[in-house]
Amino acid sequence: MTYRWLLPLVFLGALTLFTACEMNDDEPAKSSAISRLYVSYSDYQFDINRPKIYNVSIVSNADSSDFGLLKLDFLSPAAGGSAIYFHPGAQTVFQSSLNRTERDSTVYSMYVGQTGQLTNRGKIIYERMVSPRGLVFHPFLDKLYVVQMLDGTPSVLVYDRPRGIDRQIIPSQIFEFAGSKLYFDATIVNSNLILSRQGANGGLDIFEKLISARDIALNNIQPTRSLTVTGANNIQGVSIDTVNNVLAMTDYSTPTSGDPVGRILIFENFSEISKASGTITPTRIITGANTKLKGPTDVDLDFRQDSKYLYVADPVSKAVYRFDKNAEGDVAPNATFERTGLSPISLSLDARN
């Protein structure tokens, strides 16, 4: 190239860039909002001669009228998916395994691309990790908290910088809790670790300042406060919407005959509820034949301001249901997503404006 062409080419390039970047008055602004649902399936194909079961679905239009029509199925290494969890601060999906194969005591990590597509990244293996249940990530501390039963003792395993782990590794911290409580799911609110409690009259246990503890091991930990839901039987999934101040939990009962009866328990004004111990009463309950809920195991609230929906995974009904956030009683789901014959056991919503 000769120098006499340099100035005209620079000018032409700048003009082209300006023209390309200028938006026409009648051109609609592109939305950067995201409403993407990650669903974990417990199904697993033991026969190596048959096709593997894709154990994750990514529903990219979770809050639209065509819920479930735009989805991508993905195969993670989990031998039957269990809990699934996404946090935008990590740009990673974590999925625990149901521990259906020998030494499959693992939490897997998957990188999330710009459009939600997944890439298998790494694995956290710990031989004493058995049937890990709830998962929650703290972006500031860069720690992953894993709820599980460790030798019959309820515990949480903590891993530093979990996105970079791809090997067998001892947890950086182990929290062991007092009693024989059956903890299932976890969330973090205002630096408090909150665990859902199964069993008769289950509920939530709140542990203040636990996540800031630096001890490698803590034993016989008592909750700061316990919240009990009278009549609860199998509380598992929990979701707390701090923007709209709402708590949701799954529950179901198993009658002596017939199908299980599923419930979604909704509590308004969670910030006030969480300040005291004792019995709490749902503001609303979604339950009944029209809901199709039989054995819901996970729930996620859309926490955006003025958001409309909550999402439920029900492996007994073999479906993911979307309900209006203000739903109550025996109401039909707003929308349903199914993969024929497969059992959704956990879900995680990525909802951002």
Side-chain angles (χ1 to χ4, degrees), residues 110-131:
M110 293 157 272
Y111 173 74
V112 180
Q114 289 294 320
T115 59
Q117 76 275 15
L118 300 180
T119 303
N120 287 317
R121 169 184 273 177
K123 54 186 177 293
I124 301 171
I125 304 173
Y126 179 47
E127 60 185 8
R128 296 185 65 195
M129 184 195 301
V130 179
S131 299

Side-chain angles (χ1 to χ4, degrees), residues 55-97:
N55 51 15
V56 177
S57 285
I58 306 105
V59 181
S60 59
N61 56 339
D63 63 352
S64 69
S65 59
D66 57 354
F67 173 60
L69 293 182
L70 298 177
K71 62 99 177 177
L72 176 68
D73 298 329
F74 181 79
L75 178 63
S76 83
S82 186
I84 195 166
Y85 181 81
F86 170 83
H87 193 289
Q91 280 299 302
T92 299
V93 167
F94 297 99
Q95 184 189 32
S96 61
S97 172

Side-chain angles (χ1 to χ4, degrees), residues 213-269:
R214 297 186 178 183
D215 305 74
I216 294 176
L218 289 172
N219 303 314
N220 201 37
I221 304 170
Q222 297 281 357
T224 309
R225 292 182 298 281
S226 290
L227 305 177
T228 297
V229 182
T230 303
N233 294 278
N234 291 286
I235 286 178
Q236 293 187 1
V238 59
S239 179
I240 298 175
D241 172 1
T242 56
V243 173
N244 299 289
N245 203 15
V246 178
L247 159 69
M249 293 188 285
T250 65
D251 184 32
Y252 63 91
S253 60
T254 306
T256 54
S257 61
D259 291 331
V261 178
R263 306 193 302 167
I264 306 300
L265 311 177
I266 310 293
F267 302 81
E268 305 284 357
N269 200 18

Side-chain angles (χ1 to χ4, degrees), residues 194 206 208 225 227 269-277 280:
I194 301 176
I206 301 173
E208 290 187 352
R225 292 182 298 281
L227 305 177
N269 200 18
F270 172 74
S271 60
E272 290 301 316
I273 290 174
S274 64
K275 291 179 181 178
S277 298
I280 58 175

Side-chain angles (χ1 to χ4, degrees), residues 10-174:
V10 169
F11 175 79
L12 180 61
L15 179 63
T16 303
L17 179 62
F18 176 81
T19 305
C21 293
E22 187 178 22
M23 181 179 292
N24 296 330
D25 291 339
D26 58 351
E27 182 180 344
K30 294 182 180 179
S31 172
S32 59
I34 293 173
S35 181
R36 188 180 297 138
L37 191 67
Y38 297 95
V39 184
S40 175
Y41 290 85
S42 60
D43 309 88
Y44 180 73
Q45 178 56 260
F46 288 91
D47 189 344
I48 61 174
N49 296 314
R50 302 187 65 182
K52 295 182 180 296
I53 296 173
Y54 284 64
N55 51 15
V56 177
S57 285
I58 306 105
V59 181
S60 59
N61 56 339
D63 63 352
S64 69
S65 59
D66 57 354
F67 173 60
L69 293 182
L70 298 177
K71 62 99 177 177
L72 176 68
D73 298 329
F74 181 79
L75 178 63
S76 83
S82 186
I84 195 166
Y85 181 81
F86 170 83
H87 193 289
Q91 280 299 302
T92 299
V93 167
F94 297 99
Q95 184 189 32
S96 61
S97 172
L98 276 179
N99 200 31
R100 285 182 166 173
T101 61
E102 186 178 0
R103 297 185 64 82
D104 188 19
S105 301
T106 311
V107 174
Y108 297 94
S109 61
M110 293 157 272
Y111 173 74
V112 180
Q114 289 294 320
T115 59
Q117 76 275 15
L118 300 180
T119 303
N120 287 317
R121 169 184 273 177
K123 54 186 177 293
I124 301 171
I125 304 173
Y126 179 47
E127 60 185 8
R128 296 185 65 195
M129 184 195 301
V130 179
S131 299
R133 301 173 175 186
L135 303 171
V136 63
F137 176 77
H138 194 294
F140 178 74
L141 298 176
D142 198 4
K143 292 184 177 184
L144 181 69
Y145 299 79
V146 183
V147 182
Q148 61 116 57
M149 296 296 289
L150 182 64
D151 296 334
T153 301
S155 62
V156 166
L157 311 179
V158 186
Y159 290 93
D160 293 336
R161 298 177 294 279
R163 290 167 288 178
I165 300 176
D166 188 23
R167 64 189 188 280
Q168 182 163 316
I169 185 172
I170 296 173
S172 55
Q173 293 175 292
I174 298 178

